[in-house]
Amino acid sequence: MKTPADPVRDYLSAVEREASALPPDRRQELVADLAEHVEVARAERPGATLGEILAELGDPRTIAATALAEAGSRPAEGGAGEPVRRGKVHPLVPLLMLTLSLPFVMVFSESPGPLFGLLFRIAGVVLLCTSVHWTAVQKTTGVLLGAVVPTVVIASWNLSSGGPTGDTPALLANLGMLALLIGTAAWLWRGRRA
């Protein structure tokens, strides 16, 4: 026999499923708080529909992500040893941003190019550091080789007269730096977690 759908139960089940990386006691506390909030909202606003109240609470995935961030918890391990928590940004995005920052500066070497290249590099570092696809050691190595070393080398070239001069040496230096970025991105790609 089929039972009628209960939107609140379905919503709370979705939150509990998305927050599976939380410790069980914290997850149950979160679900209980949400259930209490729904009951209070229904009592205070009898004209509001369940759909409106649940929409005001937000997406279960967002609620779970916020709870995980507040708890600072590591993802719980699933039965097969795989992390339950999944990243919202594809792992290729930070790697491309870090790698393409240099060619962008090389192609658009005038006014907007260096600024956009720097912004690409900063965004790539932030996305790499906040990603769930790499360990802390991989992230640190990726930031050092993919952002810090190229930035220091390029800044020292630009601020001193010790940088490569002429078209061919500058091109070779930029290609060497690009090879470092591509190598770092390839290493990170191979070492990522699913």
Side-chain angles (χ1 to χ4, degrees):
M1 182 171 162
K2 208 171 186 183
T3 59
D6 181 3
V8 176
R9 186 185 66 225
D10 294 344
Y11 181 86
L12 295 175
S13 295
V15 171
E16 189 169 10
R17 187 174 48 253
E18 292 294 332
S20 63
L22 282 174
D25 58 335
R26 176 63 186 110
R27 187 172 56 243
Q28 292 305 319
E29 180 184 349
L30 174 65
V31 171
D33 288 346
L34 290 170
E36 181 182 355
H37 180 78
V38 169
E39 290 305 315
V40 169
R42 288 175 80 180
E44 290 177 351
R45 300 177 12 225
T49 66
L50 274 176
E52 292 171 342
I53 293 170
L54 295 177
E56 289 172 4
L57 284 175
D59 181 52
R61 189 173 286 178
T62 304
I63 291 171
T66 302
L68 282 165
E70 287 174 357
S73 68
R74 300 201 56 129
E77 296 294 319
E82 293 294 319
V84 174
R85 190 172 141 207
R86 292 176 292 283
K88 293 186 187 289
V89 176
H90 194 277
L92 195 57
V93 173
L95 302 181
L96 284 175
M97 292 188 91
L98 286 171
T99 305
L100 294 178
S101 63
L102 182 63
F104 193 85
V105 172
M106 290 168 61
V107 171
F108 303 105
S109 61
E110 294 303 314
S111 183
L115 176 64
F116 285 125
L118 179 64
L119 292 176
F120 270 37
R121 190 167 291 144
I122 290 170
V125 165
V126 169
L127 290 173
L128 177 65
C129 289
T130 59
S131 176
V132 298
H133 299 287
W134 293 283
T135 64
V137 171
Q138 290 171 319
K139 291 176 185 181
T140 303
T141 305
V143 168
L144 286 173
L145 294 177
V148 174
V149 169
T151 302
V152 168
V153 170
I154 290 170
S156 66
W157 287 347
N158 291 333
L159 296 175
S160 71
S161 60
T165 56
D167 289 340
T168 303
L171 178 63
L172 290 177
N174 283 329
L175 290 176
M177 195 62 58
L178 185 59
L180 173 67
L181 292 173
I182 291 171
T184 302
W187 174 75
L188 285 169
W189 181 256
R190 281 195 350 249
R192 77 191 183 285
R193 291 182 271 190

